[in-house]
Amino acid sequence: MDSLKIYKVLPLLEDYNYNVPEWIDEFKSIMRVCNIKDPERLFVWANEAVDLDLQSVLKYLVTTRKSETRYPTLKEIRKAIEEHLDITDSDKLDYIHSLVIRDDESIRSFNNRYRRLYHDLNRDYQSMVTVKNYRKSISSRTYPYSQVFISGCTNLQEAYKIAETAEKAEQELNNTIGVQHNIYNNHVSMVAQNSSSSISLHPIYSSMNNMNNSFLATHISNNYPRRMMLARDNINNAFNNNRGMNIRNNQFFNSMNTNNYNTTSEVAVAAVRRNKSPSRIKTSPYKDTPQSLGNNPIPLNTDAMNYNKNFINNNISKQNL
C-alpha cells in the first residue's frame, strides 16, 4: 500500500489525548487493514505516530546482537510509553469513568472499546467499574440507557447485551417509520403530479375543482374596486332610510348598479359624504342639552286647535252645573 495513503489514516497518539490503550488498538487495526506485519515496518509507523520526546524513548527498544537487529513488539512499545508518561491504573480508571460514546459510534463499537479498557485494569480496579458507570457513558442514547436501567442488571456483560439489543430494536423501528413515511410521500406526490389519474376524475374531486374555478372566475372577472362597491351600498342604504327623496333622486340611485356603473369613485364618495363638523351649541354640565326641533316638536296654535280647546272647556262647564 502507498506510504502516503497510510500516513493520512495513521492514528496519532496526541489525537487520543495520550490514552495509550485506545491508541494502540486503533494502530493495530490500521496496520492490519494495510497488511503490515513486518516488525520493522510496524516500529517505523509507530515511531511516526508519537511525538519527538517519545521517539527518543522508543529508539532504545531497538537492539542489535551479532549483526541481527531486533525490533520491539507493540506490547513492549505500549509499556514503554506508559512508563514514560507515568500512566497508572488510577489514571486508567479515571479515564474509563469519564468515557462517553461518540455521536457517530454504535453501541457495539463502544462496548468493544469499553471492554478493552476494562480488561486493561488491574483486578482491584476492575471492581470499581459498575453498571452505573457504564450507563452514564451511554446516557446520550436514551432508549439503550433506559433499557439497561429498567433491566436492573448487575454486571457489565448483561449491560452490554441489553444495550446492543435496544439499539437494534430502535434502528428497526426507525427503518419501519421511514419506509411508511416514504410510501405516504410517494402517494401524495403521485396524486399531485398525475392530473389524469382516476382519483382526480372522481365526482367529488371534479366538483371541488369546478367550485374553485367558478369562485376564481367570479372574483377575477369583477372589474369594480372594492371601495366603489362599498360606496354604492352606502348610497342605497341612504336612499332606503330617507323617505323624502323625490323621483329625480330615485332615478339617480337606480342608475347606481353593477350593470351600468360608469361614474367615477369621486362622485360616489361625494354623494355619501356627511357633514361631520362638531355642534356649535354651547352646553353646561349643570343644564340639559338643548334638543333639536325634530326631537322635541312644538305644536302650532291654529284656529282649528283653538276651537277644539274651547269646545272641550264648554262641555266640562256644563257637566259641572
Side-chain angles (χ1 to χ4, degrees), residues 250-293:
N250 291 345
Q251 294 174 352
F252 170 76
F253 286 115
N254 289 333
S255 65
M256 303 290 288
N257 52 58
T258 56
N259 295 326
N260 54 7
Y261 191 87
N262 297 321
T263 58
T264 62
S265 60
E266 287 79 4
V267 174
V269 173
V272 296
R273 184 177 300 163
R274 298 180 180 179
N275 184 12
K276 296 185 179 180
S277 60
S279 175
R280 297 180 180 274
I281 300 175
K282 295 182 179 180
T283 60
S284 172
Y286 303 103
K287 295 181 180 180
D288 294 335
T289 303
Q291 302 294 326
S292 64
L293 183 60

Side-chain angles (χ1 to χ4, degrees), residues 67-89:
S67 68
E68 183 178 344
T69 305
R70 179 187 177 277
Y71 294 93
T73 62
L74 293 179
K75 186 176 181 179
E76 292 173 341
I77 291 175
R78 172 185 170 178
K79 183 178 179 180
I81 293 174
E82 288 180 347
E83 289 178 354
H84 180 77
L85 297 176
D86 195 21
I87 297 176
T88 62
D89 284 336

Side-chain angles (χ1 to χ4, degrees), residues 83-320:
E83 289 178 354
H84 180 77
L85 297 176
D86 195 21
I87 297 176
T88 62
D89 284 336
S90 178
D91 296 329
K92 295 178 182 179
L93 180 64
D94 292 339
Y95 180 79
I96 197 172
H97 282 169
S98 62
L99 191 62
V100 177
I101 187 172
R102 304 187 187 104
D103 293 337
D104 57 345
E105 189 176 20
S106 66
I107 293 289
R108 186 182 183 87
S109 177
F110 175 76
N111 287 346
N112 291 333
R113 282 204 301 139
Y114 202 92
R115 191 180 288 107
R116 286 194 297 266
L117 292 173
Y118 174 80
H119 289 294
D120 190 57
L121 292 172
N122 187 289
R123 282 188 175 273
D124 295 334
Y125 285 92
Q126 286 182 356
S127 60
M128 300 180 187
V129 180
T130 63
V131 174
K132 185 177 181 179
N133 299 132
Y134 173 75
R135 286 204 315 265
K136 183 180 178 181
S137 299
I138 62 170
S139 59
S140 60
R141 309 295 175 86
T142 307
Y143 186 65
Y145 172 90
S146 63
Q147 294 304 301
V148 174
F149 181 84
I150 294 172
S151 67
C153 57
T154 57
N155 63 76
L156 291 175
Q157 296 301 324
E158 292 181 2
Y160 297 152
K161 185 176 180 180
I162 293 171
E164 291 178 14
T165 304
E167 184 183 49
K168 289 180 181 179
E170 189 176 27
Q171 291 174 352
E172 183 177 343
L173 179 62
N174 291 336
N175 293 336
T176 303
I177 294 175
V179 170
Q180 293 176 351
H181 183 70
N182 291 335
I183 293 174
Y184 172 78
N185 287 340
N186 292 336
H187 175 71
V188 173
S189 177
M190 178 188 67
V191 173
Q193 294 178 5
N194 188 6
S195 59
S196 61
S197 62
S198 59
I199 191 172
S200 64
L201 299 177
H202 194 278
I204 294 178
Y205 291 94
S206 60
S207 61
M208 290 175 64
N209 291 332
N210 294 334
M211 290 173 61
N212 292 334
N213 293 335
S214 62
F215 176 81
L216 293 175
T218 301
H219 287 75
I220 293 174
S221 62
N222 189 354
N223 296 323
Y224 306 105
R226 181 173 177 79
R227 60 178 181 175
M228 300 292 287
M229 304 298 288
L230 293 175
R232 186 200 63 188
D233 293 340
N234 290 334
I235 294 172
N236 290 333
N237 292 333
F239 171 73
N240 293 329
N241 295 330
N242 192 345
R243 300 299 181 181
M245 280 293 184
N246 54 28
I247 297 175
R248 183 177 298 175
N249 288 335
N250 291 345
Q251 294 174 352
F252 170 76
F253 286 115
N254 289 333
S255 65
M256 303 290 288
N257 52 58
T258 56
N259 295 326
N260 54 7
Y261 191 87
N262 297 321
T263 58
T264 62
S265 60
E266 287 79 4
V267 174
V269 173
V272 296
R273 184 177 300 163
R274 298 180 180 179
N275 184 12
K276 296 185 179 180
S277 60
S279 175
R280 297 180 180 274
I281 300 175
K282 295 182 179 180
T283 60
S284 172
Y286 303 103
K287 295 181 180 180
D288 294 335
T289 303
Q291 302 294 326
S292 64
L293 183 60
N295 297 331
N296 188 20
I298 300 174
L300 300 176
N301 290 325
T302 61
D303 293 339
M305 294 178 66
N306 291 331
Y307 174 81
N308 292 334
K309 183 177 181 181
N310 294 332
F311 177 78
I312 294 171
N313 291 334
N314 291 334
N315 290 334
I316 293 174
S317 298
K318 288 178 179 182
Q319 292 176 1
N320 293 332

Side-chain angles (χ1 to χ4, degrees), residues 52-70:
L52 294 175
D53 187 30
L54 288 173
Q55 287 179 2
S56 61
V57 174
L58 296 182
K59 71 177 183 180
Y60 290 106
L61 299 178
V62 181
T63 59
T64 303
R65 184 177 299 178
K66 296 181 180 180
S67 68
E68 183 178 344
T69 305
R70 179 187 177 277

